Amino acid sequence: MARVREFDTEKAVDAAMNAFRGKGYEGTSVQDLVDATGVGRGSLYAAFGSKEGLYLAAMDRYRERYALPLVEALRSGAPGRELLREVLVAAVDEIARDGSRRACLIVGAAMERVAHDPRVATHVESTTVLLEDALAQVVAQAQADGQVSGKRDARDLARYLVVTMHGLRVMGAINPDREALTAVVDAAMDALD
């Protein structure tokens, strides 16, 4: 008879997500995951199959916790230019508030795992496209409303904003200075004119 899982899977995935954000995939050992989750090695393997299985579960959680709420915010129908600035400033606020210099799991995965792990590549790409699509819709509406210049394609501007958001995460991991990161937001908004 199979044993009943004796730990909260959701809490374990949250803890693993934070461990991976702190040290990356390669830098996080199975022992680090055991320590972070408080779950034994055998139980982690039984629940997730492997370190990579837990990493993929952590990426799913990151998408649920960060990407999906962002997409929902972008679909709120608020005035486009204002909404774009709010989203970028919210990212800066989160980076400055966190202060731990943890990486964005998507950016970290893109740099560390995408080149040699097709499952991670698929996950990173689908999450990025989801965000890009939502941004493109906001930009297109803002262009139609005259809030954003129509000189460039809405999709190109959406990609630019995704790059800006990822860049904010990278720069925030280096130096989470709110004033410096907000200056980047201001420059990005100026680029939409």
Side-chain angles (χ1 to χ4, degrees):
M1 186 159 117
R3 286 184 57 181
V4 175
R5 191 167 292 152
E6 298 176 5
F7 65 93
D8 184 329
T9 305
E10 301 294 312
K11 286 183 182 177
V13 171
D14 284 341
M17 178 186 71
N18 288 326
F20 287 126
R21 285 183 70 195
K23 293 184 173 183
Y25 180 83
E26 295 297 334
T28 304
S29 69
V30 174
Q31 187 58 51
D32 291 333
L33 295 169
V34 167
D35 294 343
T37 63
V39 177
R41 185 180 303 250
S43 295
L44 284 176
Y45 279 107
F48 301 102
S50 64
K51 175 182 168 183
E52 184 179 30
L54 182 51
Y55 185 69
L56 292 169
M59 289 186 70
D60 286 340
R61 177 57 48 80
Y62 193 82
R63 180 180 177 137
E64 287 173 18
R65 179 154 301 151
Y66 298 101
L68 295 179
L70 178 55
V71 168
E72 287 304 311
L74 288 166
R75 293 179 177 157
S76 70
R81 187 176 186 88
E82 179 182 317
L83 181 57
L84 294 171
R85 181 171 177 71
E86 284 177 17
V87 163
L88 293 171
V89 169
V92 168
D93 289 344
E94 182 185 335
I95 292 164
R97 187 174 45 250
D98 178 29
S100 68
R101 299 182 177 189
R102 291 181 303 165
C104 167
L105 198 58
I106 298 299
V107 172
M111 300 307 300
E112 185 181 20
R113 306 282 309 154
V114 163
H116 55 273
D117 188 328
R119 292 186 298 173
V120 171
T122 298
H123 195 291
V124 169
E125 182 178 359
S126 68
T127 300
T128 301
V129 168
L130 180 72
L131 178 56
E132 184 183 304
D133 288 346
L135 284 165
Q137 290 174 358
V138 173
V139 170
Q141 186 60 53
Q143 286 174 325
D145 295 341
Q147 298 172 351
V148 169
S149 171
K151 291 186 295 189
R152 298 210 179 263
D153 180 72
R155 175 69 56 179
D156 292 341
L157 289 174
R159 288 183 183 121
Y160 168 74
L161 291 170
V162 169
V163 169
T164 300
M165 294 173 86
H166 288 331
L168 286 169
R169 295 283 181 193
V170 171
M171 293 307 297
I174 296 167
N175 179 12
D177 178 87
R178 188 179 196 293
E179 186 176 329
L181 296 174
T182 302
V184 172
V185 170
D186 293 339
M189 295 307 298
D190 288 347
L192 300 178
D193 290 334

